[in-house]
Amino acid sequence: MKGKSNSLVGIIMGSKSDWKTMIHCSDTLKKFKIKHEIKVISAHRTPARLHKFLNESKKNKIEIIIAGAGGAAHLAGVAASLTSLPVLGVPIESKLKGLDSLLSTVQMPSGIPVGTLAIGKAGAINAALLAISILSVRYKKIENKLIVYRSNFEKKIPKKPF
Ligand code: RP5
């Protein structure tokens, strides 16, 4: 049974400035009609908000957390330490072109994993697609949509480069 929010995915991001990247994650989930929550939550600026959100996520039966953050991007890692839900991390493009964000998100020491995607827009889209793929194990309707998406995606790839 779903929780009162009905959302399957929770998207969090360290700053409002991350929205221009994370909107692509939300748009991809929307294409699959997957309900999701979107919040600005920072591990260092709003730690209490992070705790509250993750506690409520469990109660609201959210199944996957997607966290986008830039710079010293510890949001996904801290979120993963506070929940047993799968956490996908999107490194936001930063002053250092996102390399700092990528390393901060991907280099989790063993024990608390973060499924880290690519830097920026591609990562935001792929985080949604990976969440969809995880959900498709349990939800047949989502699996069917993913099969159609993949088949259409393949058709869009030209056979020749010219
Ligand atoms: C991080 O710091 C955020 O995730 C954002 O990518 C970065 C910069 O934040 P702002 O200074 O734009 O608010 O916590």
Side-chain angles (χ1 to χ4, degrees), residues 91-117:
I92 301 290
E93 220 170 304
S94 63
K95 291 196 177 95
L96 302 181
K97 297 191 186 298
L99 197 56
D100 45 354
S101 324
L102 173 67
L103 295 177
S104 307
T105 307
V106 78
Q107 284 291 20
M108 289 297 289
S110 71
I112 305 290
V114 168
T116 305
L117 286 301

Side-chain angles (χ1 to χ4, degrees), residues 14-15 17-18 44-45 68-70 92:
S15 168
S17 65
D18 298 331
H44 54 272
R45 288 173 177 158
I92 301 290

Side-chain angles (χ1 to χ4, degrees), residues 12-129:
I12 56 177
M13 64 208 79
S15 168
K16 192 174 184 308
S17 65
D18 298 331
W19 178 235
K20 56 184 179 301
T21 303
M22 297 309 288
I23 190 172
H24 300 291
C25 183
S26 170
D27 284 349
T28 306
L29 291 173
K30 274 188 199 156
K31 281 186 194 144
F32 284 77
K33 297 202 178 352
I34 293 180
K35 279 199 80 181
H36 53 285
E37 288 182 18
I38 302 163
K39 291 196 190 315
V40 172
I41 296 180
S42 162
H44 54 272
R45 288 173 177 158
T46 66
R49 216 188 278 180
L50 180 60
H51 280 253
K52 186 169 181 280
F53 173 75
L54 292 171
N55 282 335
E56 285 170 3
S57 293
K58 261 292 203 228
K59 281 187 214 135
N60 289 337
K61 305 257 192 303
I62 281 179
E63 297 188 22
I64 300 170
I65 305 291
I66 299 176
H74 39 225
L75 180 62
V78 178
S81 77
L82 294 169
T83 181
S84 56
L85 294 174
V87 175
L88 307 181
V90 180
I92 301 290
E93 220 170 304
S94 63
K95 291 196 177 95
L96 302 181
K97 297 191 186 298
L99 197 56
D100 45 354
S101 324
L102 173 67
L103 295 177
S104 307
T105 307
V106 78
Q107 284 291 20
M108 289 297 289
S110 71
I112 305 290
V114 168
T116 305
L117 286 301
I119 297 168
K121 180 178 172 183
I125 293 170
N126 279 347
L129 290 171

